[in-house]
Amino acid sequence: HEIMTNLFDFLEFRGTDASGVWATDAGKNGRVFYHKEPIKSSEFIKKDFWKKVRRPKINLLLAHARATSKGNGHASTNSNNHPFVSLDRRIGMVHNGTIEEATFLSKKYQCFSETDSEVILRIFEKGMEDKMELEEIPDRISHRLGGIKDVWSTITEGAMAVALGEREDDSQRNLFLFRNDQRPLWLADLRDSLG
């Protein structure tokens, strides 16, 4: 929690218009935590919600600090802010970049915001309905790969670095990270050092 607090505070340099978190904790009675507001991340980490996230054993967390992009839904309307979530909140997504085809695609996929990023999650969800036929890949993974394949085959213009977190069931969490050439994506695996 201390590392994430410091990272989230530092992340403010990426945007000061809005902040949000999607997280899930471990165990059979694990919960999904989800909150976003049109405030700076340095203010977000002082809120009661952030204190609540400290208590459980969080095993997957996505945080986002947003700067409003021109034409992509202003941050003052909270539905436009990250993370975006599935209707049951079991999937959370954050995105950096712009999706050129978002206006067209948001009509095809049911989006609830004016932000181009949301269309990625909706394409992923729709694509999960069809699994990819791959030998030696379990069905639970092939469905998710189908969602990612649909993102790549549907979005041809734009820039993206995407993190998708999922609370699949009581014991399984999934984290999918992908990007195209226009956006960087860094990964720091701290499982060994943090236990």
Side-chain angles (χ1 to χ4, degrees), residues 39-152:
I39 60 173
K40 298 176 184 180
S41 58
S42 59
E43 295 172 23
F44 192 98
I45 60 175
K46 296 173 184 167
K47 298 284 228 168
D48 287 340
F49 173 82
W50 189 250
K51 293 172 189 167
K52 273 196 254 182
V53 173
R54 181 180 192 122
R55 288 186 213 122
K57 185 175 170 83
I58 298 294
N59 61 5
L60 185 56
L61 184 142
L62 301 176
H64 191 276
R66 179 173 186 232
T68 300
S69 302
K70 185 178 179 183
N72 279 316
H74 199 274
S76 60
T77 303
N78 202 36
S79 63
N80 293 327
N81 298 324
H82 294 246
F84 292 99
V85 296
S86 58
L87 292 178
D88 62 4
R89 296 188 176 186
R90 295 173 70 87
I91 300 173
M93 185 217 69
V94 295
H95 162 248
N96 177 27
T98 55
I99 305 301
E100 302 296 329
E101 310 105 312
T103 302
F104 164 75
L105 292 173
S106 65
K107 294 173 186 169
K108 182 177 179 181
Y109 299 90
Q110 186 179 6
C111 292
F112 304 98
S113 75
E114 300 166 352
T115 307
D116 60 344
S117 301
E118 184 187 2
V119 76
I120 297 169
L121 175 62
R122 303 306 164 210
I123 293 169
F124 175 78
E125 288 177 303
K126 181 74 173 147
M128 282 179 54
E129 294 174 7
D130 300 314
K131 68 178 183 178
M132 290 180 67
E133 295 298 331
L134 300 169
E135 290 184 36
E136 300 180 25
I137 303 282
D139 283 350
R140 55 176 279 281
I141 297 298
S142 66
H143 283 286
R144 284 139 185 96
L145 291 176
I148 293 170
K149 177 184 141 282
D150 277 11
V151 169
W152 284 114

Side-chain angles (χ1 to χ4, degrees), residues 8 28 71 124 145 189:
F8 201 21
K28 187 172 183 176
F124 175 78
L145 291 176
D189 186 347

